[in-house]
């Protein structure tokens, strides 16, 4: 199970990092965004392979795909928040962040039961 968790977490982290880097370095023009996505396509593929392997393994153990997808989304948004704060320098409201992640955690808990 640790390897499965590693696949899901690393795939989520890589995808969120690529999004944060795009926001930081790529101008909002169709051509520039297309070039960036073509450039990082191997990394996007690697992240999706990692997520696919993690989902397949985890589903074999848990048998609850909505729970797995919610957990992966939680990890993705957590990494996106971290990259936005530390890489992009965004300022976020701590009470709103806590409220949002608490609602996601509550949803995951409901899916688990």
């Amino acid at each position: 199970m640790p390897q499965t968790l590693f696949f899901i977490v690393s795939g989520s982290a890589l995808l969120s990092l690529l999004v944060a880097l795009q926001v930081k370095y790529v101008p909002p023009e169709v051509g520039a965004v297309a070039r960036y996505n073509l450039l990082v396509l191997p990394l996007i593929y690697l992240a999706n392979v990692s997520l696919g392997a993690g989902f397949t393994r985890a589903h074999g153990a848990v048998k609850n795909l909505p729970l797995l997808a919610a957990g992966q989304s939680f990890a993705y948004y957590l990494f996106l928040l971290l990259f936005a704060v530390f890489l992009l320098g965004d300022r976020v409201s701590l009470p709103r962040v806590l409220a949002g992640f608490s609602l996601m955690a509550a949803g995951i808990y409901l899916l688990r039961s």
Side-chain angles (χ1 to χ4, degrees), residues 25-51:
Y25 295 114
V26 179
E29 301 164 357
V30 174
V33 171
R35 278 190 301 279
Y36 174 78
N37 279 291
L38 285 173
L39 178 68
V40 298
L41 191 60
L43 294 174
I44 294 171
Y45 179 76
L46 179 66
N48 281 305
V49 166
S50 180
L51 286 172

Side-chain angles (χ1 to χ4, degrees), residues 76-112:
Y76 173 77
Y77 286 119
L78 183 61
F79 282 115
L80 204 54
L81 171 70
L82 293 173
F83 290 133
V85 169
F86 294 112
L87 185 67
L88 301 176
D90 289 353
R91 293 189 184 103
V92 295
S93 166
L94 187 59
R96 288 183 182 190
V97 166
L98 291 175
F101 279 106
S102 296
L103 288 171
M104 284 192 282
I108 291 170
Y109 176 77
L110 289 174
L111 284 171
R112 199 182 102 206

